[in-house]
Amino acid sequence: MDNPALGDQRNAGLVGAITLDRVVRASMVVVFVFMLVLAYTHNVNWDEFYFLSHVHAFLDGRLDRPMQTFFVHGFTWLDALPGHEMEQIFAARLVMVACVGLTTISVHRIALYFTEQRFADIAALGFLTSGYVLAYGASFRADPIAAALLTSSIAILLTTRLSVWQTLAAALLSALAVLVTIKSALYLPAFLAVLIWRIEDRIAVRRIIITGILAAGICVSFYLWHASGLRVAEGNQTANNAKDALNTTLLKSGIFPRSTEFMSWAMLSLPQIILVGIGLCAGRNARRVLLIALFAAPLLSVVIYRNAFVYFYPFATPLLMAAVAIGAQRLGSSRRLAQLVMVMLAGLFVQAALALQDRAGNQRATIAEIHRLFPDQVAYIDDSHMIASFPNPGFFMSGWGIARYQAAGQPVFAKIIAEQQPPLLIANKTALTLTMDPSSANGAEPVLLPEDHKILRESYVHYSGSIWLAGGSVTLTDEPVELALPFPGRYRVETSQPVQIDTNAVASGDILSIGAEAVTINGPKGVAVRLIWDTGVAPVAPESLDREVYTGFRMLSP
């Protein structure tokens, strides 16, 4: 006769398991709802604007670098959307959310190959709640695209019988990933892991090798087609770009160049790390341990990889979630597994609370104001190509870009101002902020070369927020004062009292057409006079926009 107490325990365990399963699945829905909200509200990172600028450069015939720009073919439709860059990035982020969804499906499929449905669900949730996936997993950059393509390819190679169509699909997905970003090479150990896992199936091994050959052929063919349509600038040849990327991101980066980001990720992903450890110990299966170790290779590259910023982890960690599923299965329906899932969810809400603080309102206002001032394209200067639809003759002032610029030791902005005559400058990141707004530098030295620092200071005056316009300013003395403007054009006068500029008696708000020669200004001693580029529309108050447009990467510091 059955013991009623034992029956009650079984029923309680079953109810608990059902409840946990429902919580896990509902939580995955919540994550994607959060992602959709963040796609619109979350502060846009500088390299998302840079990523978008490649699309516009391609459409305008200005794209001059073939390496890692193949993605532009998939996003030309963004230019047809109403609105400006912020609306385009919002739409692009929705595509990135879909990429995260595809990555999650692939994680689930791989985990299901090793475990049961409910533990595969936990692996999928483990990925979505691990460090930085919520806030940065759907950013508009190469990482979400490559992660979706690579994990999908590996899921096909690992879990299917590899029919002709499946083999072709895996090859195409792998090739596209490499074309999107060469960091896809960090997944090579994972492909080796699949080959080793299926080593006893000769047909599968042969088809995996064929997949690799096909992927290489597709990649080369597509790359040559893409490059043939571009006018490649000097120094942007594939060999040069590949060499620079290898030296900068791997060979010269030292040990643990992004240790802070890694420690923060580990804090946010502690339940997943515990389950991975349990999964490694489960069953003492040497081949499975090797598989998990090779699946961990993208993450382990943080030891030497320079660009392991927060957005790298959603790219590097999906395959490792297979070990989370194995660890969850080892724990079964125990209370400890439920507790780990609850900690995952607690971490999720911490990340959501932090991400929701990083609003994009000032970015929207700043970009809207720039398009109001300049309804048509003009050349401009900024750190990060924030107005992606306008031509930016400068360089991308990332840490890598600044290092290359300083190593070259060649000023660049005098030539740009003389030849391109950009009326707009946006001091939106450190390099230009230190030059244009020294009061906010807190003692930090300018990073631009002295010649560039000087000419930018002399060529632009503050308009509002991070926006600066071509112009110049002087304070009058007893003698006439000369003021040289950066290039000819229409300038608006700003002065507290009427003054004389050359032969013109002017007051504040008057517009002058000024040539290449310096102007002579006469007026009462001590009066400040500014000449600022006239855009043809009424200006806003200088304090109407905030100078800070980027919040930076949000981390929980260890």
Side-chain angles (χ1 to χ4, degrees):
M1 183 175 178
D2 290 339
N3 187 328
L6 290 176
D8 291 342
Q9 289 176 10
R10 291 193 197 100
N11 291 335
L14 180 60
V15 171
I18 292 173
T19 302
L20 182 62
D21 293 346
R22 289 178 176 175
V23 167
V24 167
R25 291 170 189 168
S27 298
M28 285 191 274
V29 175
V30 170
V31 172
F32 282 102
V33 171
F34 268 133
M35 281 190 174
L36 292 174
V37 172
L38 290 172
Y40 185 80
T41 63
H42 198 229
N43 190 263
V44 177
N45 194 245
W46 45 89
D47 56 349
E48 293 185 82
F49 285 120
Y50 185 54
F51 206 62
L52 178 62
S53 74
H54 290 317
V55 176
H56 286 282
F58 174 69
L59 290 170
D60 294 344
R62 295 182 282 106
L63 187 62
D64 60 3
R65 189 187 76 181
M67 187 173 171
Q68 300 191 112
T69 59
F70 187 83
F71 73 92
V72 298
H73 298 284
F75 291 96
T76 54
W77 54 273
L78 291 174
D79 187 48
L81 297 177
H84 50 63
E85 283 80 359
M86 292 299 288
E87 280 68 39
Q88 292 171 14
I89 285 181
F90 169 56
R93 281 176 167 182
L94 295 181
V95 177
M96 299 300 105
V97 172
C99 287
V100 175
L102 182 56
T103 302
T104 305
I105 291 170
S106 299
V107 167
H108 190 274
R109 185 178 179 88
I110 293 168
L112 192 59
Y113 179 77
F114 295 104
T115 64
E116 301 172 15
Q117 171 78 35
R118 52 195 299 261
F119 303 118
D121 290 349
I122 291 174
L125 180 65
F127 166 65
L128 292 171
T129 58
S130 62
Y132 309 132
V133 170
L134 178 67
Y136 302 107
S139 296
F140 184 44
R141 47 171 61 92
D143 300 71
I145 305 171
L149 295 170
L150 292 165
T151 55
S152 298
S153 178
I154 286 175
I156 292 171
L157 295 175
L158 181 66
T159 67
T160 70
R161 62 184 183 85
L162 289 177
S163 67
V164 172
W165 292 111
Q166 289 166 339
T167 300
L168 286 173
L172 179 61
L173 292 167
S174 301
L176 291 174
V178 174
L179 288 166
V180 168
T181 173
I182 58 172
K183 76 172 68 169
S184 298
L186 297 175
Y187 268 67
L188 281 174
F191 283 95
L192 176 62
V194 174
L195 185 64
I196 293 172
W197 183 262
R198 303 195 70 172
I199 197 69
E200 295 176 358
D201 185 343
R202 293 184 178 181
I203 295 176
V205 168
R206 184 164 61 247
R207 290 177 180 175
I208 291 171
I209 293 172
I210 291 171
T211 299
I213 295 170
L214 285 173
I218 294 170
C219 185
V220 170
S221 300
F222 280 10
Y223 184 80
L224 292 175
W225 168 74
H226 172 60
S228 68
L230 307 180
R231 294 182 180 179
V232 181
E234 184 67 30
N236 276 348
Q237 293 87 352
T238 301
N240 289 342
N241 284 166
K243 180 180 177 182
D244 286 346
L246 181 64
N247 285 334
T248 303
T249 61
L250 291 175
L251 300 183
K252 296 181 179 180
S253 57
I255 301 300
F256 257 119
R258 297 284 172 242
S259 58
T260 301
E261 286 85 348
F262 176 76
M263 294 302 296
S264 297
W265 172 83
M267 289 174 59
L268 292 167
S269 309
L270 190 57
Q272 291 88 335
I273 293 171
I274 291 171
L275 287 172
V276 167
I278 295 171
L280 281 168
C281 298
R284 297 185 180 180
N285 184 317
R287 193 160 61 134
R288 190 164 62 189
V289 169
L290 177 60
L291 178 91
I292 293 172
L294 292 174
F295 275 5
L299 176 62
L300 296 177
S301 69
V302 300
V303 175
I304 58 172
Y305 185 56
R306 176 190 178 277
N307 286 359
F309 294 103
V310 292
Y311 56 79
F312 175 72
Y313 291 88
F315 166 84
T317 57
L319 296 180
L320 196 56
M321 297 302 131
V324 168
I326 295 169
Q329 183 169 260
R330 178 84 181 266
L331 293 179
S333 300
S334 69
R335 180 178 297 177
R336 189 155 46 138
L337 178 60
Q339 290 170 341
L340 289 172
V341 170
M342 292 302 108
V343 176
M344 287 183 192
L345 297 180
L348 168 68
F349 286 104
V350 168
Q351 293 183 70
L354 291 172
L356 288 169
Q357 295 177 29
D358 297 334
R359 311 294 285 184
N362 190 54
Q363 290 179 325
R364 292 183 185 280
T366 298
I367 293 174
E369 177 60 14
I370 289 170
H371 281 288
R372 188 184 75 89
L373 294 172
F374 300 100
D376 299 319
Q377 284 188 356
V378 295
Y380 75 107
I381 294 169
D382 86 329
D383 289 71
S384 47
H385 297 245
M386 188 174 183
I387 311 301
S389 58
F390 287 7
N392 185 329
F395 64 98
F396 182 45
M397 300 184 195
S398 63
W400 181 4
I402 289 292
R404 293 177 66 187
Y405 158 80
Q406 291 176 334
Q410 296 295 321
V412 299
F413 289 112
K415 183 178 181 182
I416 288 173
I417 290 171
E419 295 180 357
Q420 303 290 327
Q421 299 187 355
L424 169 66
L425 181 148
I426 312 169
N428 48 4
K429 204 162 162 276
T430 305
L432 288 176
T433 300
L434 290 177
T435 286
M436 305 308 297
D437 190 16
S439 63
S440 65
N442 295 323
E445 293 294 323
V447 298
L448 296 182
L449 297 175
E451 299 90 338
D452 282 336
H453 175 81
K454 181 174 184 292
I455 195 164
L456 291 178
R457 293 278 298 164
E458 293 174 347
S459 301
Y460 295 90
V461 294
H462 186 241
Y463 171 74
S464 181
S466 59
I467 302 172
W468 296 67
L469 298 179
S473 61
V474 293
T475 299
L476 300 182
T477 64
D478 291 328
E479 300 295 328
V481 177
E482 286 196 344
L483 176 62
L485 295 167
F487 38 78
R490 288 169 55 85
Y491 291 84
R492 187 179 74 253
V493 179
E494 293 182 351
T495 176
S496 59
Q497 298 184 42
V499 296
Q500 181 174 321
I501 298 180
D502 289 338
T503 59
N504 302 297
V506 297
S508 193
D510 289 346
I511 308 299
L512 295 178
S513 292
I514 296 176
E517 300 297 323
V519 296
T520 301
I521 306 177
N522 285 284
K525 180 180 179 180
V527 172
V529 180
R530 263 195 358 163
L531 295 177
I532 186 169
W533 188 264
D534 175 48
T535 64
V537 298
V540 298
E543 65 275 8
S544 62
L545 296 171
D546 192 335
R547 296 199 182 201
E548 295 293 331
V549 291
Y550 293 127
T551 60
F553 295 130
R554 176 78 66 170
M555 292 187 297
L556 292 180
S557 300

